[in-house]
Amino acid sequence: MATKTSAAPKDAKFTVGLICALPLEAAAVCAMLDKPYDAPARSGNDNNAYDLGKIHEHNVVIASLPAGCMGNDTAAIVANDMVRTYGETLRVCLLIGVAGGIVENEDVRLGDVVVGFPREKSSGVIQYDFGKHEDDEIRLTGHLNKPPPIILSALSKLIRHHLNNEPNFPVYLRNAIQKNNSTRRHFAYPGLNADRLFKAECIHPLKEKTCNNCPEDWEEDRKPRESQDPVVHYGTIASGNAVIKNSSARKRLSEKAEGALCLEMEAAGLSKAFPCLVIRGICDYADSHKNKQWRGYAAMAAAAFAKEFLSHLPAEEVSSQPTVQEIWSELLPPLYAK
């Protein structure tokens, strides 16, 4: 049964942008809508396809990258088009989707959520394929925009809440997966036995389509967790235009990218367009055993965390922030000069 939608209120102002790379990720975000609205009109030079709705007290607009297109440049184009249609009301943005986990710096596991969080030497996102070539090495230079203060304040509030209370997002996650047969089919929890971290020297056989025949003694010995609920990690997200499918490359990047917790392909491009919060569900370990088994569940976990985050972001404070168009007009006066 299709999800019922209704016309958005005439006075509705869409202040929160939610950007995804994959249709699967956008579908997971749509599953978190408390109230979906009819498909919106677009400006003539906007190539995005949108979903509209309400999450808690926020009117949100959801966009995903064009089918088959990935990477930082495409993410920036999608953000630019969103501003063309919603720039007069859009105030904050979240990038939501999946990523490959980096296990060298923290106990990151499949289905966990990584949130880009500024550290002493990092803005929360670092572009790992941008820097200076020195002695056959790339020295990463510069950092991307931090999330705006209103997002960091809400994130701080959420972290404090989780220190004293059980998180709500695992409940959102389970409820969304059980919504109907389609969500159960595409977003179901793969199971604890499907989370297999292999030793770096154990390369996946080229002719094997799955890891069913990969021996158990190839696996890293990890302490079992008490709960199957996703764990949230706050730290640096490494972003670049290449798909990493090599444990040795992952390890090298973990050392260069200042303790990064995951690898993805869109955050750097979006952060250049305007500051945002990056939320990633871990769907693989960026090694030769990389597959799509956890992609749906990880996407839904990231979307569920985003929903809980929005419950700690006061709508009235968002409405008082400068619009993205106003921010851009200050940075790029000729763009909006009349």
Side-chain angles (χ1 to χ4, degrees), residues 251-297:
K251 184 176 181 180
R252 289 195 300 272
L253 282 171
S254 74
E255 296 169 350
K256 286 199 170 293
E258 301 178 355
L261 301 179
C262 68
L263 296 155
E264 56 89 78
M265 297 178 62
E266 290 80 33
L270 186 57
S271 295
K272 290 175 183 176
F274 48 86
C276 62
L277 181 67
V278 183
I279 303 170
R280 291 301 194 186
I282 301 304
C283 65
D284 59 64
Y285 292 119
D287 59 7
S288 63
H289 302 273
K290 179 184 178 79
N291 60 63
K292 297 180 180 180
Q293 187 175 13
W294 281 82
R295 184 172 286 184
Y297 181 82

Side-chain angles (χ1 to χ4, degrees), residues 48-220:
N48 291 340
Y50 295 109
D51 290 282
L52 298 182
K54 194 166 189 175
I55 297 179
H56 299 300
E57 297 302 314
H58 300 279
N59 289 317
V60 303
V61 53
I62 303 165
S64 61
L65 275 60
C69 299
M70 299 176 67
N72 286 313
D73 293 341
T74 306
I77 292 171
V78 170
N80 290 343
D81 279 357
M82 181 180 280
V83 173
R84 289 190 176 100
T85 298
Y86 293 98
E88 294 182 353
T89 62
L90 195 66
R91 285 166 165 81
V92 297
C93 181
L94 310 182
L95 178 62
I96 306 168
V98 299
I102 295 177
V103 299
E104 283 77 14
N105 300 313
E106 205 163 303
D107 184 25
V108 175
R109 303 195 184 188
L110 301 185
D112 283 358
V113 175
V114 173
V115 182
F117 191 80
R119 301 291 189 187
E120 183 179 352
K121 296 182 179 180
S122 170
S123 63
V125 175
I126 189 167
Q127 188 171 357
Y128 65 77
D129 53 3
F130 179 81
K132 293 182 179 179
H133 288 268
E134 297 177 345
D135 299 324
D136 296 326
E137 294 284 343
I138 294 181
R139 182 171 65 85
L140 302 181
T141 58
H143 292 283
L144 302 166
N145 294 316
K146 290 183 180 180
I150 187 175
I151 283 184
L152 294 178
S153 295
L155 195 57
S156 178
K157 183 179 178 182
L158 177 59
I159 292 171
R160 295 197 306 269
H161 177 77
H162 283 176
L163 291 174
N164 292 311
N165 304 274
E166 291 296 322
N168 293 326
F169 80 90
V171 178
Y172 297 149
L173 171 61
R174 288 189 289 269
N175 289 344
I177 291 173
Q178 294 301 318
K179 188 175 182 179
N180 54 48
N181 289 334
S182 182
T183 54
R184 283 191 287 271
R185 183 168 62 253
H186 293 105
F187 300 100
Y189 176 59
L192 185 61
N193 292 334
D195 182 3
R196 306 179 70 188
L197 173 62
F198 295 97
K199 299 172 183 176
E201 65 271 17
C202 297
I203 308 301
H204 185 80
L206 291 177
K207 295 183 180 181
E208 294 287 344
K209 293 183 178 181
T210 71
C211 291
N212 293 340
N213 294 325
C214 293
E216 289 186 8
D217 59 9
W218 283 12
E219 295 181 44
E220 295 282 4

